[in-house]
Amino acid sequence: MHKHPLRKFLGLTVLYIIIIVGIFVVQFKTESVISKSFGDLSYSVSQTQTENNEAILKNRFSVSFKGLSFNVDEKNPVVAADKNGNRRELKLSGYSDNSANSVRFTFEGGTSIEFRGETREDGFVDFSISTKISAEYRSIYIPYKINHQYTTEETAKSSFLLTSKSGEFIFMAPGFENEKMVFNGRESLARFATYEASKQFEFNQVEGYEGTSEAAIAKLFEKFRGSLVSKVQALLTTAKVDSLSEMDVTAYVAELSFQGKYNQAIDSVPDSFKKGNKRSYISSPFFNNLAVMYRSLSIQDEKYKSLVESKTLDVFNVDGIADYILREKKTQKIKDLLAVPNQDGFAPTVYQAAGILNVFLKLYEKDKSIAASLQSSLDACIEKIKTGCRLDNGVLTFQEEDESALSIERAVFVGNTLALYGKHKNEDSFQKAGRLAIYTALSQQDPEIRTLSEIYPIMAPENFFLPHTEILGYYGTTCVWVWSCAKSVVYTHKPSDTANIFIDFPLNLTHYMMFNGVPNFGGRIEIQGQMFRTDPRFETYNSSGYVYQQKSRSLLIKSRHKSKLELIRLFYDGPRTFETTADPSKVPELPKPAPKVEPKPEPAPETPSPAAATEASTDSEGTNSTVSAE
């Protein structure tokens, strides 16, 4: 058995070599690696061959660009997280490199990642990574490595500054976590680009400059709110009211009202303006004439409809568009509009980017689910605003790609939006940069009345006297909303055949409201505890009143407050299904009906008395309401 050990050793060695070589031959016959390069960008992907000679992709690929590498395999897969935070590995299902500078990897379920390198005029290649995440996931995680040839410095939660012998570069993504890039929303973008400290702006560079604090902006806004009042008053006292726009007068009245001078403000505006042709629905909460002014509100609605159907990015900068989106949110046209920023080739201007962010914030406050439709475009909007920033010795301005500077009004709008979005994201650098932009725009000159009235809603967000839209709820797909200057309006159904409208406004003051989307209640309306009838002259009386327009489903109300919280009730023939937007904890309680007191029996009169007559009582003018005696 042990006579020929050398022969046995040599035989086993040959056998092992044959087996090992056989394994390698079989493996290389069934597995292959495909690789390709586009200059500095290269990729490889692995696949296996089945017995039927079909190629099947393995869940393994790699991409490299300069000092960055993205190696995906069984140990480091691409991972997706759903809305509950549960994570799962994504399986590669396909890839394509149809263009001359990019490769796209697609995963089961529809998620895709595209790596792209584009050569600029100066010869440098901009590298980007874009993702499209399927609806079932909230975010994806892609493993990455930064080669040792770079020294790295984290400049923010979403960027690294990379330094090598060839220069400085910045690596930006929606987020980084444990050597994984994090992409949120349906679509997101990451970039690798050259960094020039003298030209590249980062939001945290504004730290320490005058004008970045909340106190500095509050002081500036207080100054210019006072300036608006004094400038308008100067023109009113010199009978130059024709030089004032409706927004000028409206902002002036709102500011004085906020100071407790509501009646004084309204009385100071001459009849030539109140009865002139400059007025529209905008100033109607102060100056009545609701039936005539309602026509302009209908025209504005048609403009919104036309703009939405155009599906251009300019729509997001139209004043009041967020309210219109909320009113029509259950329609397909709104879903189509909100999909526009998510399309390929999305390239907003600085002003458009701020408009999208502004609309997102307003939608998020009222309905987070519809705001989510814009979520995937937000990172690109912030990036666009950042590329438009110019910081010079504490002065922060915005420029579009054609190097045109934004007007004062637009600069304040972009700065304010950036600050609000920073508050939403808890990004202090965004907030400070936004404030510095506002400070720069307003502190270097004395703005004209027109500029001050246009930015007044930004300067006085807490002033409810400024006429505004309030979304009250929905009868099915029909929105009930009001144009008003009330502090708050709540619309509920309790019981289901009765609509209750609670209106919060200072005691003893009168204002006017346009309700929209209100079903016909057949004239059965109760105001201040009395049943009222409609009267086209209702605005001329020294009391509350109304007109209902059945064709437009509009309820026009004059509300003269005998109490701070007035209640108007509409009575319907049967139950109505209504979805209120009111916070249940903030819905006022309905007044309890007065307890009925049974009269004590009286002795029979000696002589019969005449039958009691039904007595009708009227208001102070004798025409506006009727009360049935019981």
Side-chain angles (χ1 to χ4, degrees):
M1 184 175 177
H2 301 286
K3 290 180 179 180
H4 307 286
L6 181 60
R7 184 185 302 173
K8 182 177 181 182
F9 172 76
L10 292 174
L12 289 174
T13 301
V14 171
L15 177 62
Y16 291 151
I17 291 173
I18 292 173
I19 292 173
I20 292 172
V21 170
I23 291 173
F24 274 99
V25 168
V26 172
Q27 183 174 0
F28 280 111
K29 185 177 180 181
T30 59
E31 184 172 319
S32 59
V33 177
I34 300 169
S35 61
K36 196 170 183 179
S37 297
F38 312 109
D40 292 321
L41 175 62
S42 62
Y43 77 90
S44 65
V45 61
S46 301
Q47 63 182 23
T48 58
Q49 202 89 8
T50 66
E51 295 180 357
N52 298 326
N53 291 324
E54 293 180 359
I56 299 177
L57 288 176
K58 300 192 72 175
N59 199 34
R60 184 188 306 164
F61 68 86
S62 66
V63 177
S64 64
F65 178 83
K66 292 185 178 292
L68 300 179
S69 59
F70 308 86
N71 300 310
V72 175
D73 53 28
E74 289 78 5
K75 292 183 178 180
N76 293 290
V78 175
V79 174
D82 61 22
K83 295 178 181 179
N84 297 319
N86 301 316
R87 300 189 181 189
R88 58 167 292 186
E89 177 183 335
L90 293 183
K91 300 292 184 181
L92 185 66
S93 62
Y95 76 99
S96 62
D97 61 355
N98 296 327
S99 64
N101 60 355
S102 70
V103 58
R104 181 191 297 268
F105 297 95
T106 306
F107 300 84
E108 294 176 0
T111 295
S112 66
I113 306 170
E114 182 178 28
F115 299 85
R116 177 181 294 272
E118 294 185 277
T119 304
R120 303 187 319 202
E121 291 182 0
D122 60 6
F124 182 80
V125 180
D126 274 329
F127 178 62
S128 64
I129 306 160
S130 58
T131 64
K132 291 188 177 181
I133 304 176
S134 61
E136 61 184 306
Y137 300 120
R138 182 184 62 189
S139 55
I140 63 171
Y141 300 78
I142 305 172
Y144 75 94
K145 291 284 186 182
I146 300 176
N147 293 358
H148 296 300
Q149 70 186 70
Y150 290 104
T151 58
T152 63
E153 176 187 350
E154 186 175 2
T155 60
K157 296 179 181 178
S158 57
S159 65
F160 285 95
L161 184 63
L162 311 179
T163 305
S164 70
K165 293 180 180 179
S166 57
E168 288 187 308
F169 308 90
I170 189 163
F171 184 30
M172 299 169 288
F176 294 98
E177 179 183 305
N178 300 325
E179 292 195 318
K180 289 182 173 58
M181 301 172 64
V182 184
F183 292 84
N184 301 305
R186 296 294 300 277
E187 297 184 31
S188 292
L189 183 72
R191 292 179 61 240
F192 178 87
T194 54
Y195 178 83
E196 297 179 68
S198 60
K199 296 181 180 180
Q200 187 77 28
F201 173 80
E202 295 295 335
F203 290 116
N204 56 15
Q205 292 174 2
V206 305
E207 185 69 41
Y209 284 118
E210 182 183 4
T212 58
S213 68
E214 289 185 82
I217 298 303
K219 185 177 180 180
L220 200 63
F221 282 170
E222 182 181 6
K223 170 187 173 182
F224 286 117
R225 286 169 69 169
S227 177
L228 171 67
V229 171
S230 61
K231 287 176 184 287
V232 173
Q233 282 178 334
L235 293 177
L236 291 177
T237 55
T238 56
K240 292 184 178 180
V241 69
D242 288 344
S243 63
L244 296 171
S245 71
E246 182 179 29
M247 193 59 219
D248 297 339
V249 175
T250 301
Y252 159 77
V253 173
E255 176 59 22
L256 276 184
S257 299
F258 187 76
Q259 299 174 17
K261 303 173 184 177
Y262 181 82
N263 287 335
Q264 176 184 330
I266 291 175
D267 292 342
S268 68
V269 178
D271 286 343
S272 59
F273 175 83
K274 296 176 182 177
K275 299 177 181 178
N277 57 13
K278 281 191 175 183
R279 285 196 51 213
S280 70
Y281 72 93
I282 292 174
S283 60
S284 61
F286 300 138
F287 303 125
N288 67 41
N289 208 6
L290 295 182
V292 175
M293 296 300 108
Y294 188 81
R295 298 169 194 163
S296 64
L297 184 63
S298 300
I299 292 172
Q300 182 61 46
D301 253 20
E302 288 300 315
K303 290 180 180 178
Y304 283 137
K305 181 180 178 182
S306 178
L307 287 166
V308 166
E309 290 173 350
S310 71
K311 291 188 287 190
T312 65
L313 294 180
D314 290 333
V315 175
F316 293 94
N317 290 102
V318 176
D319 186 41
I321 193 63
D323 292 322
Y324 183 79
I325 290 172
L326 287 167
R327 281 150 42 190
E328 301 292 323
K329 68 178 183 178
K330 300 187 179 185
T331 63
Q332 185 60 43
K333 63 184 179 183
I334 294 301
K335 296 176 183 177
D336 293 342
L337 173 65
L338 296 179
V340 171
N342 301 327
Q343 295 174 356
D344 292 338
F346 174 59
T349 65
V350 170
Y351 185 53
Q352 289 170 340
I356 293 168
L357 290 173
N358 187 262
V359 168
F360 166 80
L361 292 170
K362 290 183 177 180
L363 297 182
Y364 188 87
E365 182 183 358
K366 302 294 184 181
D367 189 334
K368 294 180 177 58
S369 62
I370 191 170
S373 302
L374 294 173
Q375 185 75 48
S376 61
S377 65
L378 303 184
D379 290 337
C381 290
I382 284 292
E383 184 64 24
K384 183 61 185 180
I385 292 174
K386 186 172 76 170
T387 60
C389 290
R390 300 291 183 269
L391 181 62
D392 183 15
N393 195 29
V395 174
L396 181 61
T397 57
F398 299 109
Q399 286 186 359
E400 297 290 6
E401 285 189 358
D402 62 0
E403 297 188 357
S404 61
L406 297 187
S407 65
I408 296 176
E409 297 91 337
R410 291 192 173 191
V412 171
F413 171 77
V414 176
N416 184 65
T417 300
L418 180 59
L420 291 175
Y421 186 71
K423 187 175 183 179
H424 170 77
K425 295 287 288 184
N426 197 28
E427 282 283 358
D428 190 55
S429 62
F430 291 3
Q431 297 180 60
K432 289 181 177 179
R435 294 186 201 120
L436 183 58
I438 296 171
Y439 191 83
T440 296
L442 293 178
S443 62
Q444 296 181 330
Q445 54 189 300
D446 184 15
E448 298 178 348
I449 292 177
R450 195 63 45 86
T451 297
L452 293 174
S453 62
E454 187 168 331
I455 66 173
Y456 183 80
I458 293 173
M459 295 196 296
E462 77 286 5
N463 188 357
F464 64 83
F465 285 101
L466 187 68
H468 56 275
T469 292
E470 195 154 351
I471 309 297
L472 304 176
Y474 302 85
Y475 287 106
T477 59
T478 300
C479 180
V480 177
W481 59 282
V482 63
W483 180 253
S484 158
C485 64
K487 183 176 182 179
S488 73
V489 181
V490 173
Y491 190 108
T492 64
H493 264 261
K494 187 179 181 181
S496 58
D497 63 352
T498 303
N500 308 291
I501 307 172
F502 298 92
I503 305 163
D504 190 348
F505 198 73
L507 179 64
N508 295 325
L509 298 183
T510 299
H511 63 113
Y512 305 85
M513 298 179 290
M514 296 177 175
F515 287 87
N516 302 268
V518 178
N520 191 350
F521 47 90
R524 295 181 294 277
I525 180 172
E526 179 186 277
I527 303 175
Q528 295 170 344
Q530 295 183 338
M531 298 300 293
F532 271 60
R533 69 168 181 266
T534 187
D535 188 328
R537 299 169 298 171
F538 73 101
E539 292 171 300
T540 65
Y541 305 128
N542 190 28
S543 66
S544 297
Y546 84 98
V547 160
Y548 180 77
Q549 297 180 338
Q550 184 172 345
K551 184 177 180 180
S552 60
R553 299 182 71 176
S554 57
L555 175 61
L556 311 180
I557 293 283
K558 175 183 179 181
S559 186
R560 184 174 183 271
H561 281 244
K562 293 183 178 180
S563 61
K564 181 175 181 295
L565 189 66
E566 292 283 15
L567 171 61
I568 296 176
R569 309 187 77 190
L570 312 178
F571 302 99
Y572 292 96
D573 292 331
R576 296 269 177 168
T577 301
F578 182 74
E579 174 191 350
T580 184
T581 58
D583 182 344
S585 64
K586 297 180 180 179
V587 175
E589 291 187 7
L590 289 169
K592 296 180 180 179
K596 290 186 178 181
V597 179
E598 294 295 333
K600 296 181 180 180
E602 298 181 1
E606 297 180 358
T607 57
S609 63
T614 300
E615 180 182 333
S617 65
T618 62
D619 65 3
S620 57
E621 283 75 19
T623 56
N624 197 36
S625 64
T626 60
V627 183
S628 298
E630 296 182 354

